[in-house]
Amino acid sequence: MAFTQHRIHLKEQQRGADATTWGQLLLHVPGLLCSLAVIASVSYLLLPGVGWLPPVLWLASGALVFYRPAESFFARYVLGMRYPTRQERDRLAPVWKEVTARAGVDGRTYELWIEDSDALNAYAAAGHIVGVTRFSLDHLPNGQLAAVLAHELGHHTGGHAWSSLLGYWYALPGRLTWWALRSVARFALLVTRRISVAATGLLFLLIGMPLVFLTFSVWYLVVPLLLAPYLLAAVGRRAELRADQHAAALGFASMLSEVLTTMHTGEKAAEAAALRAGHSARRPGLLVQLLSTHPDYYTRLRHLEPYLRPRG
């Protein structure tokens, strides 16, 4: 489906931070505090004279989320993307121009990247990255490609992309520390099991008692950390619906609905193929659903329905 091109009227405010962004940042605070405690403890242990410096530098490093060279490094080496070729730019440029024109956004603010993937997908990352898969570029008509890009632009104008990466970065030291402690504990349990049952029980006590004491003494930090993955996933699902609404409000509701229907059909076809091959298609459990950052296709299509009704 094609679209009618619009004139460009740039908004004074190019982007902001909606309620989901602020909610996401708030939910990342416990992880940030844990990471800060880890870095501060190690710094003051190894650098007693200037132990304050590494925590300050680490907090300041969050600005790299908006630093173009750092974003390019992230897109290329973490997300596995590349710059578009001239032919790909010629295909993307008029579609992106139309999307940003309808949104009143300067399209030059963002960088378009390509992922060499056979999946129908697109991404909004860091402060200025909009990525699309090679499959989407080759197989989607202009209207559907515009709808996908408008959805990703909605993540940027709502602040979802930068807040997600910022939260992940600030929680990373705490996560790595927890992973290291778990690995050491598992290794110690494996060793003690080979020694005796009594040694294993003693190790359980040595590990368990400090954890119980920590849980009860700083419950106000531990409980939010335990709930954070589920709450962040819920906020992520809300952010996806907001990005869908952004694309729909720009006039791409029907095109986006077509894309989501295609993706849903593809998912059903994959399940059917698995059944024919003798593999059981298990429905995701409750915990898996609660940890999903994307709503199911039925929910997304249902939220698009008000934009698909004829205007009387």
Side-chain angles (χ1 to χ4, degrees):
M1 182 181 293
F3 47 67
T4 304
Q5 292 192 338
H6 290 59
R7 295 181 63 184
I8 298 178
H9 299 282
L10 295 182
K11 296 179 181 177
E12 183 176 350
Q13 184 177 358
Q14 292 286 290
R15 57 182 175 178
D18 60 25
T20 56
T21 296
W22 291 113
Q24 191 175 60
L25 291 174
L26 184 63
L27 290 170
H28 277 300
V29 169
L32 182 149
L33 293 177
C34 286
S35 296
L36 185 60
V38 169
I39 293 177
S41 300
V42 173
S43 299
Y44 279 98
L45 183 65
L46 300 179
L47 304 168
V50 289
W52 56 270
L53 186 58
V56 171
L57 292 176
W58 174 70
L59 288 173
S61 67
L64 292 174
V65 169
F66 304 99
Y67 183 53
R68 293 301 184 107
E71 288 187 59
S72 298
F73 180 90
F74 176 74
R76 186 180 299 277
Y77 297 106
V78 178
L79 299 180
M81 295 182 181
R82 60 172 174 80
Y83 284 119
T85 64
R86 181 175 180 178
Q87 183 179 5
E88 291 166 341
R89 282 197 304 271
D90 291 342
R91 166 85 164 92
L92 279 171
V95 179
W96 181 242
K97 182 179 180 181
E98 175 60 22
V99 170
T100 54
R102 293 193 187 191
V105 170
D106 186 353
R108 296 170 298 180
T109 301
Y110 303 97
E111 290 186 356
L112 298 174
W113 288 72
I114 303 296
E115 180 190 21
D116 289 313
S117 169
D118 292 330
L120 200 171
N121 211 346
Y123 309 90
H128 308 90
I129 294 171
V130 176
V132 64
T133 61
R134 179 69 195 181
F135 179 90
S136 302
L137 194 63
D138 288 342
H139 293 83
L140 292 181
N142 282 356
Q144 293 183 12
L145 181 60
V148 169
L149 293 176
H151 171 93
E152 302 309 330
L153 180 61
H155 281 309
H156 275 302
T157 57
H160 309 156
W162 67 260
S163 63
S164 177
L165 181 57
L166 193 66
Y168 177 82
W169 171 251
Y170 279 140
L172 190 58
R175 290 182 179 180
L176 292 176
T177 302
W178 177 243
W179 175 84
L181 291 174
R182 286 177 59 189
S183 299
V184 170
R186 287 176 178 175
F187 178 76
L189 286 172
L190 182 64
V191 172
T192 54
R193 282 176 185 173
R194 295 181 178 273
I195 299 174
S196 68
V197 176
T200 304
L202 180 61
L203 183 62
F204 264 115
L205 287 174
L206 291 175
I207 295 175
M209 292 302 292
L211 286 177
V212 171
F213 174 78
L214 182 66
T215 300
F216 281 97
S217 59
V218 289
W219 61 268
Y220 49 85
L221 189 59
V222 174
V223 172
L225 279 173
L226 294 175
L227 294 177
Y230 302 96
L231 297 176
L232 283 169
V235 171
R237 292 192 294 271
R238 183 58 187 166
E240 290 300 322
L241 294 177
R242 282 182 174 268
D244 283 349
Q245 291 168 3
H246 177 269
L250 296 181
F252 298 111
S254 61
M255 295 87 148
L256 183 59
S257 178
E258 292 167 1
V259 173
L260 293 175
T261 301
T262 299
M263 295 174 73
H264 192 198
T265 303
E267 185 181 81
K268 292 295 183 183
E271 292 177 359
L275 285 174
R276 287 194 298 269
H279 302 292
S280 59
R282 294 183 178 180
R283 292 184 63 84
L286 178 60
L287 288 181
V288 174
Q289 295 180 46
L290 290 175
L291 288 171
S292 175
T293 57
H294 283 64
D296 58 75
Y297 293 116
Y298 171 78
T299 300
R300 296 180 67 177
L301 288 168
R302 182 167 55 83
H303 278 78
L304 286 175
E305 287 178 359
Y307 298 92
L308 298 172
R309 296 170 187 157
R311 295 180 180 180

